[in-house]
Amino acid sequence: MNRLSILIFLFLLTSASETGRAQSRLGRVTRIQLSPDVEVAEAVLRDVSGDGNVDLVISALDLKTNGRSLRIHHRLQGSKSVRECFRQAPDHTLSLTPDVVAFSIADVHEDAGREVVLFSPRGVFVWRPKGSEKERFKKLFSAELLWQVPDVDEVFFWDAARDVNGDGLDDLMLPETGGYRIAVQGRSAEAGAFFQAVSTIQIPEDRRAGFRAGGKGPVQTGGGQGRFELMLGLPGRQDEATRNLVRIEDVVPAPFFLDWDADGDLDLLAQTTTRLHVWPLSQEGQYNELPGESLLSPVPLNQERTLDISYSSHAVDFNQDGRADCVIFAGDKSKKNLRTQVLIFRNSPEKGLFGEKGRPDQLLVLTGIVAPPSFPDVDGDGAKDLLIVTLRTDLIEQLRNSSSDSVSGEISVYLNQGKRGEKSKRGEVFSRRPDFIHSIQMSPEGDTKTTHFLGDVTGDGVAELLLRTSKDHLSVFMIRQRKGELSLVDRPLWELNIDEEANVELPDVEVSKNREFLVLEDHQVLHVRFR
Amino acid sequence: MRMNMVSGYRALGLLVVLLLTHAGLAQTVGGMKRGTSLIPDYPISDHMVADFDGDGRDELVVFAKDGRVLSYHGTSGASLDPAPRGKLQLADPERSLIATGSFFEGAKKQLLVLSPGGLRVFRPDDRGDFSGKGHLLTSRARFNLRVGGPIRSNIVQDVNEDGRPDIVVPTPGFCELWLNQGPDESEEKDGLGLPRFRRVAKAAVRLNSQSSRGMSSLNKSLRSDFSIPNLTTKDVNGDGRLDLQIRQDDIRSWHLQREDGSIPGKPDVSLDLSIFRDTTPKSAIAPGQIASMGDRRSFESRDLDDDGILDYVIAHRRKIWIFHGTKAGPQFTKPSFILRSVEDVTALTLLHLDKDTRPDLLLIKVEVPSVTTFVLGFVSSWDLSFSAAGYRNTNGREFDKAPTWKKETALRFPPILSILKDPQALVQRIEYMGKKFRKQLGGDFDGDGKEDLALLSEDADRIDVFRSTGSADESDGDGDESLREILFEDKRSTWELEDVLLWMGGLAERRVAALTRGRNPDGSVALSDREKMEFTGFETGDFDGDGSAEIVLSYRPEGAVRVTLFDVMGVDPSQK
């Protein structure tokens, strides 16, 4: 081997090592292992200690005792330079009583940092890990939580904290039968933190979505959004009245808090079968019981629409004018191929949200079935872009003669056109055509839910793409922007093998400035953090 | 010739008489006419029909969401007085379960309310109306769950069949059995010996729960949906007394009723199914493989040897144990028989496959479609294959080691894309077949002392009435026969989805034919055309006490949860 060859070999070897180190520097993995008798139910990242770094909170189940607990792992100080972000042993552990249904993390006490908020069927409590034994638990207010019966296997995270009136204090929101309860926090030197301004929201009655539970005989039907249930029984079975003593069903729409009227506070939005309801926050910091506006939805949720697996509707402020806009995805079966329409509505003082005739401000048409979309900021301009994963049903036809074990899908990004689009002739919110397309092969074992723009990891201002390329493999790919065009670099920046059955918990952007997420396995939580 | 003409006229006359008589009969039974329509101006939670004051006339009792209990009384025929009566106001309507029972010896029916305040009984006054505070039977039996308004529940049951109504109290995670000990004569209130209740068992029950908490889009909903199962009682040791069976996860336990009607608080027999273990390695559910039970234990019970005592079949992976029950109750120490399957098993059950009285063993193996099949299934029809193997019960103690009945079948589904393109078409087809299982109601509508039958039409727009058909017990029907027919007797090896639906439709039609004895209806009456209202059900009540039952139909607005409207119909009094 001559000298040049040796140099080339050494260069390649070094480059490979550098790449390997770059990969490991890029994404740090901290593994929190629980004992084989303890199972992970849920995990979230929230700044509990109030030091500006997100901590890790794990909801766990002891399989031997059936005891449920919360484990808080504080972020290690100086963890930017150390490999691991958390210690193995939790800093605080709370054994939960059987009546606890859910938990949240919010600053609801004058103690430094945030506290654990516990929800039981009848009330809301705070747990202060640093409080004296007598003062560790305190009831905040009474409530009739929607979920009356705790799950014996888990205590779930309910994201209750919202600063609805912009005063810097965490307010709490929880669902109840027929509506919601919103408790606005106040503070004073004498009284400390208190919740006196409590708004009770009532959802107006509307037609029931889904299927009426039909039949008393062997053929019974039921279902809801995207779901149809068929129960085939045989003669001689017990009927409902003798089989069950009580059946209780409570349903409320998912609530969303956004600024509707550009007054700087958070208004409440909720969608029923035929209408979008809005409860503006008053100047006194309260919500009225009934909505201030109820807009007829241009795509109501009738029985046909409940079977439309592409259907979804979203409220997002696309143009950052302080007014919540709306986008609706709906299947279009009028053509031979399956298509999905994307109806984008811009909220403006002149026309409102849906206008008089429910005509969208922009209409996109996609080929195939659409998975639930998301709205990341891909190009780093601060505005929400549109990310869609589509199952290309037209390409599936090609499978007839193949023995492939996967189907073609597509990841598409439509960039937010911002002011430029607003002023354009068509008044577009998003590009008319995708600014980024990436084909993927989707096997039944793949996970389209883990298609996520993680944020800018490489420092070029453009978000990177996290993909679960197979059941047991995660990859992060660099997205490059050149001359306004986005493209994916084929070789992954970072990869990780995970358990096949693991759930990937993607963060809210607001939670952390770092690019981090969690992988939940049965007895282990993996925390992944990028720069 | 002349005699023939006379005979002919006589015959014609007789025929006319017969026709008129038949028409009259039809008029009498089919002469159902609508009586009162009740449209209460308050939100309704639930209702019931019962004779509380023992005058031989039923009342329609309506439970308002705000806790008022209001009675509607019959006047004549199918007419009810639209002005409700009664002043009873329930203390905690959002958390109240309602039932009826006869708690006082010799007394009529009473209204029972279970709430956070305890178990309270209300007697009607002489007019059959409810008011006042009732009598507290026990404050220790409590119901605390939020149900949105007073609702009926099957909490009053004579569990030990001693003639006294007992109470089953549902709570999250448990059902409490409170046995009626009879009245304490020394503690009479208002001249009544109030029954005493003692909690004898607290049976762990697994809630059937479906909740959702998704907040990813505006169209998502937050949902809490759960049901609390009833206690299971069955005579497990052949002594003619109902015993209590409790199931919690892998634990099964039995409380045997004693001769004096008492049921012990501690179980007589307890079994942890996890002790049954097949050492064959556990199989994962993988494409192209049999969908196995995994690590789940299967537990079935039936009388295998006709001795009136329940026997048990337990399976884990490929191994099956048979245990015969005894007069002392279930026993799981000495298996009568052990069977081993050569392949994984998806499901197991006991049913009659031959003509003898001993149930046989059925094993079902379902093959998980391969990935290629699933993917190609987007554009082509695809099959879900399964096999059924039936093992004959030879002598009540054992099953044949090889299957007597065996068949491979495939269920063929249309291309997935075609379903996704128009799921509504498939759903409508299924719902159409479902409607063929017509809702039925038995009652003596014409007062002749014989049971008649009312059948709701498939489109729920009319009721057909059949005279003197006998009991229309809905539990009639042989599921074993239906399953045997579809698994082994039908010659098809591939069933299209449409074939399954047609088979279900045929089953429905045979059921109707059996109920009606194959006859045409003796009369029909159209239901009120209620725009934007859904028909929710019907029941009988004799509101005028003339021995013939009226029918109460209930409706609710489309999409609403609760009933808001009642129609009452009955045979025209002039026709009786």
Side-chain angles (χ1 to χ4, degrees), chain B residues 131-145:
Chain B
S131 59
K133 290 188 173 7
H135 299 279
L136 183 67
L137 296 178
T138 174
S139 60
R140 290 176 300 127
R142 288 191 285 267
F143 179 75
N144 289 306
L145 291 171

Side-chain angles (χ1 to χ4, degrees), chain A residues 202-365:
Chain A
Q202 190 181 326
I203 307 290
E205 278 197 15
D206 201 342
R207 280 209 317 261
R208 229 153 87 115
F211 297 84
R212 57 190 105 97
K216 203 177 169 188
V219 178
Q220 296 191 25
T221 56
Q225 177 60 49
R227 186 180 96 246
F228 174 69
E229 293 166 0
L230 168 65
M231 287 148 281
L232 295 175
L234 289 168
R237 286 201 62 195
Q238 266 185 311
D239 66 15
E240 170 78 21
T242 44
R243 194 167 56 241
N244 290 313
L245 287 173
V246 175
R247 170 132 190 241
I248 300 170
E249 186 185 2
D250 278 326
V251 185
V252 295
F256 285 84
F257 288 86
L258 292 102
D259 192 354
W260 172 256
D261 43 16
D263 61 356
D265 56 33
L266 292 180
D267 309 304
L268 171 63
L269 281 70
Q271 177 180 306
T272 57
T273 316
T274 61
R275 290 180 183 271
L276 176 66
H277 303 283
V278 183
W279 288 260
L281 184 71
S282 70
Q283 285 186 342
E284 294 76 34
Q286 294 257 38
Y287 296 94
N288 287 338
E289 193 174 320
L290 293 174
E293 286 187 65
S294 291
L295 311 175
L296 205 57
S297 173
V299 186
L301 196 54
N302 53 21
Q303 194 185 70
E304 188 177 329
R305 205 47 79 185
T306 63
L307 292 169
D308 178 0
I309 61 171
S310 290
Y311 177 81
S312 66
S313 61
H314 310 263
V316 185
D317 184 1
F318 292 122
N319 54 359
Q320 300 167 286
D321 63 351
R323 295 177 191 279
D325 309 303
C326 181
V327 59
I328 300 176
F329 290 75
D332 174 15
K333 55 179 196 175
S334 57
K335 302 290 178 189
K336 185 185 168 205
N337 277 327
L338 277 173
R339 303 194 319 171
T340 302
Q341 292 190 345
V342 185
L343 299 87
I344 301 154
F345 298 88
R346 191 190 286 114
N347 190 1
S348 67
E350 296 79 30
K351 76 158 181 51
L353 180 61
F354 298 129
E356 275 185 19
K357 296 181 181 176
R359 196 169 289 153
D361 294 287
Q362 184 179 6
L363 176 69
L364 301 173
V365 181

Side-chain angles (χ1 to χ4, degrees), chain B residues 99-151:
Chain B
T100 62
S102 291
F103 291 94
F104 309 113
E105 277 193 47
K108 311 143 209 171
K109 269 188 190 165
Q110 298 88 46
L111 194 68
L112 191 85
V113 179
L114 181 66
S115 69
L119 189 65
R120 198 170 277 273
V121 67
F122 295 88
R123 295 167 68 221
D125 60 26
D126 291 335
R127 295 180 67 202
D129 304 324
F130 293 98
S131 59
K133 290 188 173 7
H135 299 279
L136 183 67
L137 296 178
T138 174
S139 60
R140 290 176 300 127
R142 288 191 285 267
F143 179 75
N144 289 306
L145 291 171
R146 191 181 61 234
V147 291
I151 57 168

Side-chain angles (χ1 to χ4, degrees), chain B residues 403-419:
Chain B
T404 308
W405 304 269
K406 197 165 165 63
K407 189 159 173 243
E408 309 269 340
T409 310
L411 189 55
R412 180 158 292 167
F413 290 90
I416 295 170
L417 278 186
S418 71
I419 299 175

